[in-house]
Amino acid sequence: MDQSISGIIAGVLDNMADGEDPVQIANGEMQLVVVKSLAADLTSLSPPLTEEQQAFGAATMSSIELTATGKADLVNSDGYIAASVMSWGVNPFPNADSAENALLRVAVYSDDASRRRVQESADGEAAFYLTLQFATVQDFNFSMTLEQARLAGLQNFTFPECNYFDGSGYSECDGCWVSTYTNHNATYGCPSSFLDNVPALRRRLQE
């Protein structure tokens, strides 16, 4: 299924002119946006709402926001960034029950120069921020930080965690950190190197 989606996105990008309006698909199976935009014009991307979500006044979808560092790393030699962001309607991967929220699929299509910059980028500086919406309203304890909870020896302190599907299960997003969170969503900061460290994303970078 994921490979089929990759083929669809690659076909869309092949037929898109530089700077063309984003292509959007929104139905019960996927909510997808594909862009080929000037780096200067691209700030954030979010999957489109379905007609049903619009009718019921659904909140904004999960999203990705590029920083100046991220744009500099991911821009192709022609000045454009080719990317897609998609929310799965139904989780198609094994062990789907272990994922509490909808998966956000992010793919960036880069040339050789951009790939080298990503590979050589430094850890610790946010290239992009991922904001993920929770499927249900949470009940976090905001009276202390995670570090304070650890120092206090609390055994039942709930805290958001970013995970990605690694081909067989869900692994922690190494290099990413929780930037902010509420009972409705969490925002994670990630360096460009995260894209190269994750095998599935690395393959997409080379398409």
Side-chain angles (χ1 to χ4, degrees), residues 38-54:
L38 281 171
D41 296 337
L42 186 61
T43 301
S44 63
L45 280 173
S46 181
L49 297 174
T50 64
E51 291 184 359
E52 183 178 9
Q53 288 173 325
Q54 294 180 37

Side-chain angles (χ1 to χ4, degrees), residues 144-154 157 159 181:
M144 62 178 65
T145 65
L146 177 61
E147 185 61 28
Q148 290 171 332
R150 287 172 174 165
L151 292 174
L154 296 183
F157 185 81
F159 192 77
Y181 67 99

Side-chain angles (χ1 to χ4, degrees), residues 73-174:
D73 286 344
L74 299 175
V75 64
N76 291 321
S77 300
D78 59 5
Y80 288 83
I81 292 178
S84 66
V85 177
M86 190 188 93
S87 179
W88 294 95
V90 177
N91 188 337
F93 302 115
N95 305 316
D97 291 342
S98 63
E100 296 183 2
N101 303 302
L103 297 184
L104 188 69
R105 184 189 193 278
V106 178
V108 180
Y109 300 80
S110 303
D111 59 18
D112 291 340
S114 178
R115 290 173 202 154
R116 285 194 295 272
R117 288 194 298 271
V118 169
Q119 292 167 354
E120 297 168 358
S121 62
D123 292 335
E125 184 175 2
F128 57 92
Y129 289 94
L130 288 171
T131 297
L132 304 179
Q133 305 293 329
F134 298 127
T136 59
V137 178
Q138 305 296 300
D139 187 20
F140 292 120
N141 179 358
F142 296 102
S143 65
M144 62 178 65
T145 65
L146 177 61
E147 185 61 28
Q148 290 171 332
R150 287 172 174 165
L151 292 174
L154 296 183
Q155 300 298 315
N156 190 26
F157 185 81
T158 304
F159 192 77
E161 182 180 72
C162 173
N163 292 277
Y164 69 93
F165 185 73
D166 61 12
S168 60
Y170 298 91
S171 298
E172 187 174 348
C173 301
D174 292 334

